[in-house]
Coordinates of all heavy atoms in Angstrom, one line a residue:
M228 N 21.2 0.2 5.2 CA 20.9 1.6 5.3 C 21.2 2.0 6.8 O 20.9 1.3 7.7 CB 19.5 1.9 5.0 CG 19.2 3.4 5.1 SD 17.6 3.9 4.4 CE 18.2 4.4 2.8
A229 N 21.8 3.2 6.9 CA 22.2 3.7 8.2 C 20.9 4.1 9.0 O 19.9 4.4 8.4 CB 23.1 4.9 8.1
T230 N 21.1 4.1 10.3 CA 20.0 4.5 11.2 C 19.9 6.1 11.1 O 20.9 6.8 11.0 CB 20.3 4.2 12.7 OG1 20.5 2.8 12.7 CG2 19.2 4.7 13.6
I231 N 18.6 6.5 11.0 CA 18.4 8.0 10.9 C 17.5 8.4 12.1 O 16.8 7.5 12.7 CB 17.7 8.4 9.6 CG1 16.3 7.6 9.5 CG2 18.6 8.2 8.4 CD1 15.5 8.1 8.3
E232 N 17.7 9.6 12.6 CA 16.8 10.1 13.7 C 15.9 11.1 13.1 O 16.3 12.0 12.3 CB 17.7 10.7 14.8 CG 18.5 9.7 15.5 CD 19.1 10.3 16.8 OE1 18.7 11.4 17.2 OE2 20.1 9.7 17.2
R233 N 14.6 11.0 13.5 CA 13.6 11.9 13.0 C 12.8 12.4 14.2 O 12.7 11.8 15.2 CB 12.6 11.2 12.0 CG 13.3 10.5 10.8 CD 14.1 11.5 10.0 NE 13.3 12.4 9.3 CZ 13.8 13.4 8.6 NH1 15.1 13.6 8.5 NH2 13.0 14.2 7.9
R234 N 12.1 13.6 14.1 CA 11.3 14.1 15.1 C 9.9 14.0 14.8 O 9.5 14.2 13.7 CB 11.7 15.6 15.3 CG 11.0 16.3 16.4 CD 11.5 17.7 16.6 NE 12.9 17.8 16.6 CZ 13.6 18.0 17.7 NH1 13.0 18.1 18.9 NH2 14.9 18.0 17.7
I235 N 9.1 13.6 15.8 CA 7.6 13.5 15.6 C 7.1 14.9 15.6 O 7.5 15.8 16.4 CB 7.0 12.7 16.8 CG1 7.5 11.3 16.9 CG2 5.4 12.7 16.6 CD1 7.3 10.4 15.7
T236 N 6.2 15.2 14.6 CA 5.8 16.6 14.3 C 4.3 16.6 14.3 O 3.6 15.6 14.1 CB 6.4 17.1 13.0 OG1 6.0 18.5 12.9 CG2 5.9 16.3 11.8
Q237 N 3.7 17.8 14.5 CA 2.3 18.0 14.5 C 1.8 18.1 13.0 O 2.4 18.9 12.3 CB 1.9 19.3 15.3 CG 0.4 19.5 15.4 CD -0.2 18.7 16.6 OE1 0.4 18.6 17.6 NE2 -1.4 18.3 16.4
I238 N 0.8 17.3 12.6 CA 0.3 17.4 11.3 C -1.2 17.5 11.5 O -1.9 16.5 11.7 CB 0.7 16.2 10.4 CG1 2.2 16.1 10.3 CG2 0.0 16.3 9.0 CD1 2.7 14.9 9.6
G239 N -1.8 18.7 11.4 CA -3.2 18.9 11.7 C -3.5 18.5 13.2 O -2.8 19.0 14.1
N240 N -4.5 17.7 13.4 CA -4.8 17.2 14.7 C -4.0 15.9 15.1 O -4.3 15.3 16.1 CB -6.3 16.9 14.9 CG -7.1 18.2 14.8 OD1 -6.6 19.3 15.2 ND2 -8.3 18.2 14.3
S241 N -3.1 15.5 14.2 CA -2.4 14.2 14.4 C -0.9 14.5 14.6 O -0.5 15.6 14.4 CB -2.6 13.3 13.2 OG -3.9 13.0 13.0
L242 N -0.2 13.5 15.0 CA 1.2 13.5 15.0 C 1.7 12.7 13.9 O 1.1 11.7 13.5 CB 1.8 13.0 16.4 CG 1.4 13.7 17.6 CD1 1.9 13.0 18.8 CD2 1.9 15.2 17.5
G243 N 2.9 13.1 13.3 CA 3.4 12.4 12.1 C 4.9 12.3 12.1 O 5.6 12.9 12.9
L244 N 5.4 11.5 11.2 CA 6.8 11.3 11.0 C 7.1 11.5 9.6 O 6.5 11.0 8.7 CB 7.1 9.8 11.4 CG 8.5 9.3 11.2 CD1 9.5 10.0 12.1 CD2 8.5 7.8 11.3
T245 N 8.1 12.3 9.3 CA 8.5 12.5 7.9 C 9.8 11.7 7.6 O 10.5 11.3 8.6 CB 8.9 14.0 7.6 OG1 9.9 14.4 8.4 CG2 7.6 14.9 7.8
L246 N 10.0 11.2 6.4 CA 11.1 10.4 6.0 C 11.9 11.1 4.9 O 11.3 11.8 4.0 CB 10.6 9.1 5.5 CG 9.9 8.2 6.5 CD1 9.3 7.0 5.8 CD2 10.7 7.8 7.6
P247 N 13.2 11.0 5.0 CA 14.1 11.7 3.9 C 13.8 11.1 2.6 O 13.5 9.9 2.4 CB 15.5 11.4 4.4 CG 15.4 10.8 5.8 CD 14.0 10.3 6.0
N248 N 14.1 11.9 1.5 CA 13.9 11.4 0.2 C 14.7 10.2 -0.1 O 14.3 9.3 -0.9 CB 14.2 12.5 -0.8 CG 13.1 13.5 -0.9 OD1 11.9 13.2 -0.7 ND2 13.5 14.7 -1.3
E249 N 15.9 10.1 0.4 CA 16.8 8.9 0.1 C 16.2 7.6 0.7 O 16.3 6.6 0.0 CB 18.2 9.1 0.8 CG 18.9 10.4 0.4 CD 18.5 11.6 1.1 OE1 18.3 11.6 2.3 OE2 18.3 12.6 0.4
T250 N 15.5 7.7 1.8 CA 14.9 6.6 2.4 C 13.7 6.2 1.6 O 13.5 5.0 1.3 CB 14.4 6.9 3.8 OG1 15.5 7.3 4.6 CG2 13.7 5.7 4.5
L251 N 12.9 7.1 1.1 CA 11.7 6.8 0.3 C 12.2 6.2 -1.0 O 11.5 5.3 -1.5 CB 10.9 8.1 0.0 CG 10.3 8.7 1.3 CD1 9.7 10.1 1.0 CD2 9.3 7.8 2.0
K252 N 13.2 6.7 -1.6 CA 13.7 6.2 -2.9 C 14.2 4.7 -2.7 O 13.9 3.8 -3.5 CB 14.9 7.0 -3.4 CG 14.4 8.3 -4.1 CD 15.6 9.1 -4.6 CE 15.1 10.4 -5.1 NZ 16.2 11.3 -5.5
A253 N 14.9 4.5 -1.6 CA 15.4 3.1 -1.3 C 14.2 2.1 -1.1 O 14.3 1.0 -1.4 CB 16.3 3.1 0.0
M254 N 13.1 2.6 -0.5 CA 11.9 1.8 -0.3 C 11.0 1.8 -1.6 O 10.0 1.0 -1.6 CB 11.0 2.4 0.8 CG 11.7 2.3 2.2 SD 10.6 3.1 3.4 CE 9.1 2.1 3.4
N255 N 11.4 2.5 -2.6 CA 10.6 2.7 -3.8 C 9.1 3.1 -3.5 O 8.2 2.6 -4.0 CB 10.5 1.3 -4.6 CG 10.0 1.5 -6.0 OD1 10.1 2.6 -6.6 ND2 9.3 0.4 -6.5
V256 N 9.1 4.2 -2.7 CA 7.8 4.8 -2.2 C 7.8 6.2 -2.7 O 8.7 6.9 -2.6 CB 7.7 4.7 -0.7 CG1 6.5 5.4 -0.2 CG2 7.6 3.2 -0.2
K257 N 6.6 6.6 -3.2 CA 6.4 8.0 -3.6 C 5.1 8.5 -3.0 O 4.3 7.8 -2.5 CB 6.5 8.1 -5.1 CG 5.4 7.4 -5.9 CD 5.7 7.4 -7.4 CE 4.7 6.7 -8.2 NZ 4.4 5.3 -7.8
K258 N 4.8 9.8 -3.2 CA 3.6 10.4 -2.7 C 2.4 9.7 -3.2 O 2.3 9.4 -4.4 CB 3.6 11.9 -3.1 CG 2.4 12.6 -2.6 CD 2.4 14.1 -3.1 CE 1.1 14.8 -2.6 NZ 1.1 16.2 -3.0
G259 N 1.5 9.4 -2.3 CA 0.3 8.7 -2.6 C 0.3 7.2 -2.5 O -0.7 6.5 -2.5
D260 N 1.5 6.6 -2.4 CA 1.7 5.2 -2.2 C 1.2 4.8 -0.8 O 1.3 5.6 0.1 CB 3.1 4.7 -2.4 CG 3.6 4.7 -3.8 OD1 2.7 4.8 -4.7 OD2 4.8 4.6 -4.0
E261 N 0.7 3.6 -0.7 CA 0.3 3.1 0.6 C 1.5 2.3 1.2 O 2.2 1.6 0.5 CB -0.9 2.2 0.5 CG -2.1 3.0 0.1 CD -3.4 2.2 0.2 OE1 -3.4 1.1 0.8 OE2 -4.5 2.7 -0.2
V262 N 1.6 2.3 2.5 CA 2.6 1.6 3.3 C 1.9 0.8 4.4 O 0.8 1.1 4.8 CB 3.7 2.5 3.9 CG1 4.5 3.2 2.8 CG2 3.2 3.5 4.8
Q263 N 2.6 -0.3 4.8 CA 2.1 -1.1 5.9 C 3.0 -0.7 7.1 O 4.2 -0.7 7.0 CB 2.2 -2.6 5.6 CG 1.3 -3.0 4.5 CD 1.6 -4.5 4.2 OE1 2.6 -5.0 4.4 NE2 0.5 -5.1 3.6
V264 N 2.4 -0.5 8.3 CA 3.2 -0.1 9.5 C 2.9 -1.2 10.5 O 1.7 -1.5 10.8 CB 2.8 1.3 10.0 CG1 3.6 1.6 11.3 CG2 3.0 2.3 8.9
E265 N 3.9 -1.9 11.0 CA 3.7 -3.0 12.0 C 4.5 -2.6 13.2 O 5.7 -2.2 13.1 CB 4.3 -4.3 11.3 CG 4.2 -5.4 12.3 CD 4.7 -6.7 11.6 OE1 5.2 -6.7 10.5 OE2 4.7 -7.8 12.3
L266 N 3.9 -2.8 14.4 CA 4.6 -2.6 15.6 C 5.1 -3.9 16.2 O 4.3 -4.8 16.4 CB 3.6 -1.9 16.7 CG 4.2 -1.6 18.0 CD1 5.4 -0.7 18.0 CD2 3.1 -1.1 19.0
V267 N 6.4 -4.0 16.3 CA 7.0 -5.3 16.8 C 7.8 -4.9 18.1 O 8.8 -4.2 18.0 CB 7.9 -5.9 15.8 CG1 8.6 -7.2 16.3 CG2 7.2 -6.2 14.5
G268 N 7.3 -5.2 19.2 CA 7.9 -4.8 20.5 C 7.8 -3.3 20.5 O 6.7 -2.7 20.5
N269 N 8.9 -2.6 20.6 CA 8.9 -1.1 20.6 C 9.4 -0.6 19.3 O 9.9 0.6 19.2 CB 9.6 -0.6 21.8 CG 11.1 -0.9 21.7 OD1 11.6 -1.7 20.9 ND2 11.9 -0.2 22.6
Q270 N 9.4 -1.4 18.2 CA 9.9 -0.9 16.9 C 8.8 -0.9 15.9 O 7.9 -1.7 15.9 CB 11.0 -1.9 16.5 CG 12.2 -1.9 17.4 CD 13.3 -2.8 16.8 OE1 13.1 -3.6 15.9 NE2 14.5 -2.8 17.4
L271 N 8.9 0.1 15.0 CA 8.0 0.2 13.9 C 8.7 -0.4 12.6 O 9.8 -0.1 12.4 CB 7.6 1.6 13.6 CG 6.6 2.3 14.5 CD1 6.4 3.7 14.0 CD2 5.3 1.6 14.6
I272 N 8.0 -1.2 11.9 CA 8.5 -1.7 10.6 C 7.6 -1.1 9.6 O 6.4 -1.3 9.6 CB 8.5 -3.2 10.6 CG1 9.4 -3.8 11.7 CG2 8.9 -3.7 9.2 CD1 9.3 -5.3 11.8
I273 N 8.2 -0.4 8.6 CA 7.4 0.3 7.6 C 7.8 -0.4 6.2 O 9.0 -0.5 5.9 CB 7.7 1.8 7.5 CG1 7.4 2.4 8.9 CG2 6.9 2.4 6.4 CD1 7.8 3.9 9.0
K274 N 6.8 -0.9 5.5 CA 7.0 -1.6 4.2 C 6.0 -1.0 3.2 O 4.9 -0.6 3.6 CB 6.7 -3.1 4.3 CG 7.6 -3.8 5.3 CD 7.3 -5.3 5.2 CE 6.7 -5.8 6.5 NZ 6.4 -7.2 6.5
K275 N 6.5 -1.0 2.0 CA 5.6 -0.6 0.9 C 4.5 -1.6 0.8 O 4.7 -2.8 0.8 CB 6.3 -0.5 -0.4 CG 5.4 0.1 -1.6 CD 6.3 0.3 -2.8 CE 5.4 0.8 -3.9 NZ 6.1 1.2 -5.1
A276 N 3.2 -1.2 0.7 CA 2.1 -2.1 0.7 C 2.1 -2.7 -0.7 O 2.3 -2.1 -1.7 CB 0.8 -1.4 0.9
P277 N 1.8 -4.0 -0.8 CA 1.7 -4.6 -2.1 C 0.5 -4.0 -2.9 O -0.5 -3.6 -2.3 CB 1.4 -6.1 -1.8 CG 1.0 -6.2 -0.4 CD 1.5 -4.9 0.3
T278 N 0.7 -3.9 -4.2 CA -0.3 -3.4 -5.1 C -1.4 -4.4 -5.4 O -1.0 -5.6 -5.6 CB 0.2 -2.8 -6.4 OG1 1.0 -3.8 -7.0 CG2 1.1 -1.6 -6.1
M279 N -2.6 -4.1 -5.4 CA -3.7 -5.0 -5.7 C -3.9 -5.1 -7.2 O -3.8 -4.0 -7.9 CB -5.0 -4.6 -5.0 CG -4.9 -4.6 -3.5 SD -4.5 -6.2 -2.8 CE -6.0 -7.1 -3.1
I280 N -4.1 -6.3 -7.7 CA -4.4 -6.4 -9.1 C -5.9 -6.3 -9.4 O -6.7 -6.6 -8.5 CB -3.8 -7.7 -9.6 CG1 -4.4 -8.9 -9.0 CG2 -2.3 -7.8 -9.5 CD1 -4.2 -10.2 -9.6
Q281 N -6.2 -5.9 -10.5 CA -7.6 -5.9 -10.9 C -8.1 -7.3 -11.3 O -7.5 -7.9 -12.2 CB -7.8 -5.0 -12.1 CG -9.2 -4.8 -12.5 CD -10.1 -4.0 -11.5 OE1 -9.5 -3.1 -10.8 NE2 -11.3 -4.3 -11.4
L282 N -9.0 -7.8 -10.6 CA -9.5 -9.2 -10.9 C -10.5 -9.2 -12.1 O -11.2 -8.2 -12.2 CB -10.2 -9.8 -9.6 CG -9.4 -10.0 -8.4 CD1 -10.2 -10.4 -7.2 CD2 -8.3 -11.0 -8.7
P283 N -10.4 -10.2 -12.9 CA -11.3 -10.3 -14.0 C -12.8 -10.4 -13.5 O -13.0 -10.8 -12.4 CB -10.9 -11.6 -14.7 CG -9.6 -11.9 -14.2 CD -9.5 -11.3 -12.8
D284 N -13.7 -10.0 -14.4 CA -15.1 -10.1 -14.1 C -15.5 -11.5 -13.7 O -15.0 -12.5 -14.3 CB -16.0 -9.7 -15.3 CG -15.9 -8.2 -15.6 OD1 -15.5 -7.5 -14.6 OD2 -16.3 -7.8 -16.7
G285 N -16.3 -11.7 -12.7 CA -16.7 -13.0 -12.2 C -15.8 -13.6 -11.1 O -16.2 -14.6 -10.5
V286 N -14.7 -13.0 -10.9 CA -13.8 -13.5 -9.8 C -14.1 -12.8 -8.5 O -14.0 -11.5 -8.5 CB -12.3 -13.4 -10.2 CG1 -11.4 -13.8 -9.1 CG2 -12.0 -14.1 -11.5
P287 N -14.5 -13.5 -7.5 CA -14.9 -12.8 -6.2 C -13.7 -12.0 -5.6 O -12.5 -12.4 -5.7 CB -15.4 -13.9 -5.3 CG -14.8 -15.1 -5.9 CD -14.6 -14.9 -7.3
A288 N -14.0 -11.0 -4.9 CA -13.0 -10.1 -4.3 C -12.2 -10.9 -3.2 O -11.0 -10.6 -3.0 CB -13.6 -8.9 -3.6
D289 N -12.7 -11.9 -2.6 CA -12.0 -12.7 -1.6 C -11.3 -13.9 -2.2 O -10.9 -14.8 -1.5 CB -12.9 -13.1 -0.5 CG -14.0 -14.1 -1.0 OD1 -14.2 -14.2 -2.2 OD2 -14.7 -14.7 -0.1
F290 N -11.1 -13.9 -3.5 CA -10.4 -15.0 -4.2 C -9.1 -15.4 -3.6 O -8.8 -16.6 -3.3 CB -10.2 -14.7 -5.7 CG -9.4 -15.7 -6.4 CD1 -9.9 -16.9 -6.8 CD2 -8.1 -15.4 -6.7 CE1 -9.1 -17.9 -7.5 CE2 -7.3 -16.4 -7.4 CZ -7.8 -17.6 -7.8
F291 N -8.2 -14.4 -3.4 CA -6.9 -14.7 -2.8 C -7.0 -15.2 -1.4 O -6.1 -16.1 -1.0 CB -6.0 -13.5 -3.0 CG -5.5 -13.3 -4.4 CD1 -6.0 -12.2 -5.1 CD2 -4.7 -14.2 -5.0 CE1 -5.7 -12.0 -6.4 CE2 -4.3 -14.0 -6.3 CZ -4.8 -12.9 -7.0
N292 N -7.9 -14.8 -0.6 CA -8.1 -15.3 0.7 C -8.5 -16.8 0.7 O -8.0 -17.6 1.4 CB -9.2 -14.5 1.5 CG -8.7 -13.1 1.8 OD1 -7.5 -12.8 1.8 ND2 -9.7 -12.2 2.0
L293 N -9.4 -17.1 -0.2 CA -9.9 -18.5 -0.4 C -8.7 -19.3 -0.9 O -8.5 -20.5 -0.4 CB -11.1 -18.6 -1.3 CG -12.3 -17.9 -0.9 CD1 -13.3 -17.8 -2.0 CD2 -12.9 -18.6 0.3
L294 N -8.0 -18.8 -1.8 CA -6.8 -19.6 -2.4 C -5.8 -19.9 -1.3 O -5.3 -21.0 -1.1 CB -6.2 -18.8 -3.5 CG -5.0 -19.4 -4.2 CD1 -5.3 -20.7 -4.8 CD2 -4.4 -18.4 -5.2
E295 N -5.5 -18.9 -0.4 CA -4.6 -19.1 0.7 C -5.1 -20.1 1.7 O -4.3 -21.0 2.1 CB -4.3 -17.7 1.4 CG -3.2 -17.8 2.4 CD -2.9 -16.5 3.1 OE1 -3.5 -15.5 2.7 OE2 -2.0 -16.5 3.9
E296 N -6.4 -20.1 2.0 CA -6.9 -21.1 2.9 C -6.8 -22.5 2.3 O -6.4 -23.4 3.0 CB -8.4 -20.8 3.1 CG -8.6 -19.6 4.0 CD -10.1 -19.2 4.1 OE1 -11.0 -20.0 3.7 OE2 -10.4 -18.1 4.6
E297 N -7.1 -22.6 1.0 CA -7.0 -23.9 0.4 C -5.5 -24.4 0.4 O -5.2 -25.6 0.6 CB -7.5 -23.9 -1.0 CG -9.1 -23.8 -1.0 CD -9.7 -25.0 -0.3 OE1 -9.3 -26.2 -0.5 OE2 -10.6 -24.8 0.5
M298 N -4.6 -23.5 0.1 CA -3.2 -23.9 0.0 C -2.7 -24.3 1.4 O -1.9 -25.3 1.5 CB -2.3 -22.7 -0.5 CG -2.6 -22.5 -2.0 SD -1.6 -21.2 -2.7 CE 0.0 -21.9 -2.6
E299 N -3.1 -23.6 2.4 CA -2.8 -24.0 3.8 C -3.4 -25.4 4.2 O -2.7 -26.2 4.8 CB -3.2 -23.0 4.8 CG -2.4 -21.7 4.7 CD -2.9 -20.6 5.7 OE1 -3.8 -20.9 6.5 OE2 -2.3 -19.5 5.6
A300 N -4.6 -25.6 3.8 CA -5.3 -26.8 4.1 C -4.6 -28.0 3.4 O -4.7 -29.1 3.9 CB -6.8 -26.8 3.7
H301 N -4.1 -27.8 2.2 CA -3.5 -28.9 1.4 C -1.9 -28.7 1.3 O -1.3 -29.2 0.4 CB -4.1 -29.0 0.1 CG -5.6 -29.2 0.1 ND1 -6.2 -30.4 0.5 CD2 -6.6 -28.3 -0.1 CE1 -7.5 -30.2 0.5 NE2 -7.8 -29.0 0.1
H302 N -1.3 -28.1 2.3 CA 0.1 -27.8 2.3 C 1.0 -29.0 2.1 O 1.8 -29.0 1.2 CB 0.5 -27.1 3.6 CG 2.0 -26.8 3.7 ND1 2.6 -25.9 3.0 CD2 2.9 -27.5 4.4 CE1 3.9 -25.9 3.2 NE2 4.1 -26.9 4.1
E303 N 0.7 -30.1 2.8 CA 1.5 -31.3 2.7 C 1.4 -31.9 1.3 O 2.4 -32.3 0.7 CB 1.2 -32.3 3.8 CG 1.6 -31.9 5.2 CD 3.1 -31.6 5.3 OE1 3.9 -32.4 4.8 OE2 3.4 -30.6 5.9
A304 N 0.2 -31.9 0.7 CA 0.1 -32.5 -0.6 C 0.8 -31.7 -1.6 O 1.4 -32.2 -2.5 CB -1.4 -32.6 -0.9
L305 N 0.6 -30.3 -1.5 CA 1.3 -29.4 -2.5 C 2.8 -29.5 -2.4 O 3.5 -29.5 -3.4 CB 0.8 -28.0 -2.3 CG -0.6 -27.7 -2.6 CD1 -1.0 -26.4 -2.1 CD2 -0.9 -27.9 -4.1
K306 N 3.3 -29.6 -1.1 CA 4.8 -29.8 -0.9 C 5.3 -31.1 -1.5 O 6.3 -31.1 -2.1 CB 5.1 -29.8 0.6 CG 6.5 -29.7 0.9 CD 6.7 -29.5 2.4 CE 8.2 -29.3 2.7 NZ 9.0 -30.5 2.7
G307 N 4.5 -32.1 -1.4 CA 4.8 -33.4 -2.0 C 5.0 -33.3 -3.5 O 5.8 -33.9 -4.1
L308 N 4.1 -32.5 -4.2 CA 4.2 -32.3 -5.6 C 5.5 -31.6 -6.0 O 6.1 -31.9 -7.0 CB 3.0 -31.6 -6.1 CG 1.6 -32.3 -6.0 CD1 0.5 -31.4 -6.4 CD2 1.7 -33.5 -7.0
V309 N 5.8 -30.6 -5.2 CA 7.0 -29.8 -5.5 C 8.3 -30.7 -5.3 O 9.2 -30.6 -6.1 CB 7.1 -28.6 -4.5 CG1 8.5 -27.9 -4.6 CG2 6.0 -27.6 -4.8
D310 N 8.3 -31.6 -4.4 CA 9.5 -32.4 -4.1 C 9.6 -33.6 -5.1 O 10.6 -34.3 -5.0 CB 9.4 -33.0 -2.7 CG 9.5 -31.9 -1.6 OD1 10.0 -30.8 -1.9 OD2 9.1 -32.1 -0.5
R311 N 8.7 -33.8 -6.0 CA 8.8 -34.9 -7.0 C 9.9 -34.6 -8.0 O 10.2 -33.6 -8.5 CB 7.5 -35.1 -7.7 CG 6.5 -35.8 -6.9 CD 5.3 -36.1 -7.7 NE 4.5 -37.1 -6.9 CZ 3.5 -37.7 -7.4 NH1 3.1 -37.5 -8.6 NH2 2.9 -38.6 -6.7

């Protein structure tokens, strides 16, 4: 996608940035969607936030955090299973 120039504008008591419809369509973002904004050096990276799934009853809200911790703790063993 080509570089675009935008102007920072006043939105209530805040400053904001608007994006063209073509950019939003390319990102698959629409009104009400959440985005992640990351500052890397002097650049902003804007990504569509992943959608959260509804966990079944009895599954704790931090399930995926715990799962990620376990996967990191056992990374070598899991990698060995994949390489078989």
Side-chain angles (χ1 to χ4, degrees):
M228 177 169 269
T230 300
I231 58 172
E232 290 189 18
R233 307 303 291 173
R234 186 176 306 259
I235 302 297
T236 185
Q237 186 83 36
I238 302 174
N240 291 330
S241 300
L242 297 177
L244 173 71
T245 61
L246 299 173
N248 283 332
E249 302 82 43
T250 302
L251 297 172
K252 285 180 185 174
M254 293 176 63
N255 192 28
V256 173
K257 60 187 180 308
K258 181 179 177 179
D260 287 349
E261 293 189 10
V262 295
Q263 296 174 334
V264 180
E265 180 181 1
L266 180 61
V267 178
N269 66 346
Q270 297 181 349
L271 286 180
I272 299 174
I273 303 172
K274 299 183 241 181
K275 184 174 182 176
T278 55
M279 298 300 292
I280 62 168
Q281 184 68 32
L282 295 174
D284 289 341
V286 177
D289 63 347
F290 170 78
F291 287 107
N292 293 336
L293 297 169
L294 179 62
E295 185 175 4
E296 288 174 13
E297 288 301 314
M298 289 180 69
E299 288 176 8
H301 302 288
H302 174 76
E303 290 302 316
L305 293 170
K306 187 173 186 283
L308 293 173
V309 170
D310 293 339
R311 284 186 165 192

